[in-house]
Amino acid sequence: MNKPYVRLDRDNAIVLLVDHQAGLLSLVRDVDPDRMKNNVLALADAAKFLPTILTTSFETGPNGPLMPELKAMFPDAPYIARPGQINAWDNEDFVKAIKATGKKQLIIAGVVTEVCVAFPALSAIEEGFEVFVVADASGTFNEMTRAAAWDRMSAAGAQMMTWFGMACELHRDWRNDIEGLGTLCANHIPDYRNLMTAYNSLSTNSL
């Protein structure tokens, strides 16, 4: 039986950036490190107009500090430094921050996929939230581990997406903000910069 198309709604969505920490990022092998960083920052750029919550696990231990770029991009966002809970949903402050927004769609990315993403995703689905996992801004040890995590979350009802798909679905229509969406794509997809260069050139010449 086909499931209905549930779209992301910018008025009902929040972004959860879970455990993008230096120590955990060093474990990621299913995505090239440079591409992983680019994808995380692309998601963060796309999330600037949405409520965003940052969380880390056991910063003082081997997991290490949060990516400094994320702290800089969201200086006023709720920042939940969990003292030890592996599943972010087990942290009362994290769940309170989510529920305080009143939003029902959760866009989640994190490291590592089968734990830091899957555990809160599954917990949120159990509580009635719609969950969208940004697969290319999440990472883990290898492709087999990633596949197991994706299967588990998908079977529970999570929707798997990429940062580009997320941005486009939230944006809906190029006419809403050509420059904004175009700049996002150009900054994080090198080949897309060529398209924006051509567009800007045509726009200038038509004046």
Side-chain angles (χ1 to χ4, degrees):
M1 181 177 179
N2 292 331
K3 294 181 180 180
Y5 174 27
V6 178
R7 295 191 190 198
L8 279 171
D9 177 359
R10 64 185 298 167
D11 295 322
N12 194 31
I14 63 173
V15 176
L16 309 178
L17 299 177
V18 183
D19 301 354
H20 289 99
Q21 297 167 248
L24 294 174
L25 283 163
S26 69
L27 302 175
V28 173
R29 294 291 183 274
D30 63 321
V31 185
D32 175 85
D34 290 337
R35 181 172 295 180
M36 177 67 180
K37 183 175 182 179
N38 174 72
N39 293 344
V40 173
L41 295 181
L43 168 60
D45 276 341
K48 284 182 178 178
F49 59 86
L50 295 175
T52 299
I53 297 171
L54 310 174
T55 186
T56 57
S57 173
F58 197 37
E59 284 186 14
T60 56
N63 293 349
L66 184 71
M67 287 175 59
E69 293 91 344
L70 295 181
K71 278 188 176 180
M73 292 173 75
F74 299 100
D76 300 320
Y79 181 90
I80 313 299
R82 309 191 313 278
Q85 298 96 341
I86 293 174
N87 181 350
W89 208 266
D90 290 339
N91 182 278
E92 185 177 350
D93 292 334
F94 180 70
V95 177
K96 279 184 177 179
I98 293 169
K99 292 183 177 179
T101 68
K103 314 295 184 182
K104 294 301 290 182
Q105 293 187 336
L106 308 184
I107 301 168
I108 304 179
V111 181
V112 293
T113 309
E114 73 274 20
V115 174
C116 305
V117 179
F119 291 177
L122 295 169
S123 299
I125 290 169
E126 188 177 28
E127 291 201 25
F129 289 88
E130 295 175 350
V131 172
F132 301 77
V133 174
V134 184
D136 58 352
S138 305
T140 187
F141 304 106
N142 53 57
E143 293 181 1
M144 181 179 67
T145 305
R146 178 181 68 194
W150 287 359
D151 286 349
R152 188 182 188 194
M153 289 186 285
S154 296
Q159 294 195 48
M160 309 304 298
M161 304 189 76
T162 64
W163 72 260
F164 181 67
M166 182 208 80
C168 291
E169 189 159 277
L170 287 168
H171 207 79
R172 291 283 199 273
D173 191 317
W174 272 105
R175 293 166 295 181
N176 289 333
D177 183 5
I178 295 173
E179 294 300 328
L181 184 58
T183 298
L184 171 69
C185 295
N187 285 345
H188 296 285
I189 305 175
D191 291 342
Y192 211 97
R193 188 173 295 277
N194 296 332
L195 299 181
M196 290 308 298
T197 298
Y199 167 76
N200 291 332
S201 177
L202 289 172
S203 298
T204 300
N205 291 336
S206 66
L207 296 177

